[in-house]
């Protein structure tokens, strides 16, 4: 449910002129590839950003610490050293990291 609400809130901000679907991620996050990734790509899962839930070490810690509340910075560090899975806009692949980043933008 939270992902639907996040997408709705982002589109509401676009409708109000606060955000643009063509805004690049580098306005909010310091990752090497953020100048090539737009809000639109995050919403339609064409960003190429790897999902933090695909990281084995994250999953071990996630299940090993079930009561831990993960902070956005910790999750960004999980994906921070990883390359893009594909060139932004080249194809579709679902990524939980996209919604993490959209939440940070909001």
């Amino acid at each position: 449910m939270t992902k639907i609400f996040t997408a709705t809130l982002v589109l509401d901000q676009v409708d109000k002129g606060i955000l643009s679907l063509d805004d690049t991620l580098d306005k909010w996050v310091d990752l090497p590839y953020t100048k090539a990734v737009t809000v639109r790509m995050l919403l339609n899962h064409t960003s190429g950003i790897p999902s933090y839930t695909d990281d084995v070490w994250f999953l071990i810690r996630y299940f090993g610490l079930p009561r831990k509340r993960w902070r956005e910075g910790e999750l960004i560090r999980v994906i921070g050293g990883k390359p893009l899975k594909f060139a932004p806009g080249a194809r579709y692949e679902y990524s939980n990291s996209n919604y993490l980043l959209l939440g940070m933008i909001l």
Side-chain angles (χ1 to χ4, degrees):
M1 281 301 229
T2 59
K3 293 175 182 176
I4 294 169
F5 287 117
T6 300
T8 301
L9 289 171
V10 168
L11 291 174
D12 182 59
Q13 296 299 298
V14 169
D15 188 50
K16 292 177 179 175
I18 297 169
L19 290 176
S20 167
L21 291 175
D22 296 320
D23 285 343
T24 55
L25 190 53
D26 62 318
K27 290 182 176 183
W28 300 280
V29 181
D30 184 26
L31 291 169
Y33 42 72
T34 55
K35 289 183 181 181
V37 175
T38 65
V39 171
R40 180 187 321 271
M41 291 173 185
L42 294 174
L43 284 168
N44 67 18
H45 296 283
T46 60
S47 69
I49 297 173
S51 184
Y52 62 87
T53 55
D54 289 342
D55 183 270
V56 173
W57 292 114
F58 167 76
L59 292 175
I60 289 169
R61 290 176 291 174
Y62 179 79
F63 289 111
L65 303 166
R67 294 185 179 173
K68 178 175 175 42
R69 182 177 172 165
W70 292 89
R71 299 187 186 276
E72 60 190 30
E74 292 172 304
L75 298 175
I76 290 297
R77 282 191 291 280
V78 171
I79 62 172
K82 297 186 179 355
L84 291 173
K85 294 186 89 172
F86 52 86
R91 65 186 176 101
Y92 167 89
E93 185 173 319
Y94 185 86
S95 173
N96 284 307
S97 298
N98 289 338
Y99 278 97
L100 166 68
L101 295 165
L102 288 167
M104 291 174 67
I105 290 169
L106 290 171

